[in-house]
């Protein structure tokens, strides 16, 4: 029991250092839904961005996206990236694969200026069990809402410590619960929330929305619209 408590405490210490930042510049948490455009701030920028580097990391060695203010051409996301006038990193048409840690650094004459500015990008994505554009009434459909996150610790540990919640709401904005017999709601993991229902004729053009909140504030959401064939 003592060993488990020790591991939990160690995880929270690591998480605290990751999210509060030990470099002197506060880390930023950005939540975005797949398909949208995102703006990642650089909190240590210099005047002209010609000294700016942006690196990306997720479970592996860092990948350089921007070097001395210029996009790297040999990276897969080249066409979706751009550098803002304030040295921010802009990414178009976000995918679930874009989640991870982004670091902005400044170098002048091969010497780093200031400290790292990190941004943790969290992507909310909804997928359907049906691959069809239109689904027939009477069919069962499962919608899976997942928050893709990387903070250096497991998603479950992070989501507990930061007060993150995922939930489904109907088009009236009412939170769906397991007490509603129409829906089967489950959470295979704290970062995954599924909704299963049997479609009715009146569900045509009905919307269900998955929301993510951080300390009771809605950060982003994804809407799924049903089309009945």
């Amino acid at each position: 029991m003592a060993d488990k408590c020790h591991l939990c405490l160690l995880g929270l210490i690591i998480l605290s250092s990751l999210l509060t930042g030990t470099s002197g510049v506060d880390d930023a948490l950005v939540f975005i839904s797949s398909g949208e455009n995102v703006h990642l701030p650089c909190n240590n920028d210099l005047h002209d961005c010609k000294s700016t580097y942006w690196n990306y990391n997720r479970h592996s060695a860092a990948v350089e996206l921007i070097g001395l203010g210029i996009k790297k051409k040999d990276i897969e996301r080249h066409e979706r990236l751009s550098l803002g006038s304030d040295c921010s990193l802009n990414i178009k048409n976000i995918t679930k694969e874009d989640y991870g840690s982004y670091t902005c650094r400044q170098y002048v004459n091969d010497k780093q200026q200031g400290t790292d500015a990190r941004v943790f990008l969290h992507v909310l994505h909804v997928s359907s069990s049906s691959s069809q554009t239109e689904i027939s009434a009477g069919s069962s459909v499962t919608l899976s809402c997942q928050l893709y996150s990387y903070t250096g610790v497991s998603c479950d540990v992070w989501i507990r410590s930061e007060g993150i919640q995922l939930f489904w709401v109907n088009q009236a904005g009412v939170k769906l619960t397991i007490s509603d017999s129409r829906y089967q709601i489950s959470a295979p993991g704290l970062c995954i929330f599924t909704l299963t229902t049997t479609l009715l004729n009146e569900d045509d053009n009905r919307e269900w929305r998955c929301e993510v909140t951080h300390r009771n504030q809605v950060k982003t959401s994804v809407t799924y619209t049903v089309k009945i064939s």
Side-chain angles (χ1 to χ4, degrees), residues 78-147:
H78 171 77
E79 296 300 327
R80 296 194 289 122
L81 303 178
S82 64
L83 196 65
S85 58
D86 57 353
C87 307
S88 59
L89 180 65
N90 300 315
I91 310 176
K92 294 180 179 179
N93 194 23
I94 284 290
T95 74
K96 62 184 182 182
E97 299 301 327
D98 290 324
Y99 80 96
S101 172
Y102 293 77
T103 303
C104 184
R105 293 173 178 165
Q106 308 296 328
Y107 278 90
V108 176
N109 296 327
D110 294 328
K111 292 184 178 179
Q112 184 171 354
Q113 306 297 303
T115 52
D116 287 350
R118 289 184 301 182
V119 181
F120 291 102
L121 180 64
H122 311 288
V123 179
L124 189 68
H125 180 75
V126 168
S127 59
S128 170
S129 59
S130 175
S131 59
Q132 300 176 358
T133 304
E134 295 186 347
I135 312 171
S136 60
S139 299
S140 175
V141 63
T142 296
L143 305 180
S144 178
C145 179
Q146 182 166 354
L147 183 65

Side-chain angles (χ1 to χ4, degrees), residues 28-39:
L29 301 180
V30 175
F31 296 83
I32 195 72
S33 299
S34 57
E36 297 184 348
N37 302 331
V38 74
H39 170 94

Side-chain angles (χ1 to χ4, degrees), residues 32-60:
I32 195 72
S33 299
S34 57
E36 297 184 348
N37 302 331
V38 74
H39 170 94
L40 305 183
C42 179
N43 295 325
N44 63 2
D45 59 292
L46 300 181
H47 295 297
D48 57 10
C49 299
K50 292 182 180 179
S51 60
T52 298
Y53 282 78
W54 273 100
N55 293 331
Y56 169 74
N57 185 31
R58 192 185 80 207
H59 309 304
S60 60

Side-chain angles (χ1 to χ4, degrees), residues 140-143 168 181-186 194-198:
S140 175
V141 63
T142 296
L143 305 180
W168 285 96
S181 59
R182 260 212 75 185
Y183 306 105
Q184 296 176 12
I185 296 175
S186 63
T194 65
L195 179 154
T196 301
T197 188
T198 299

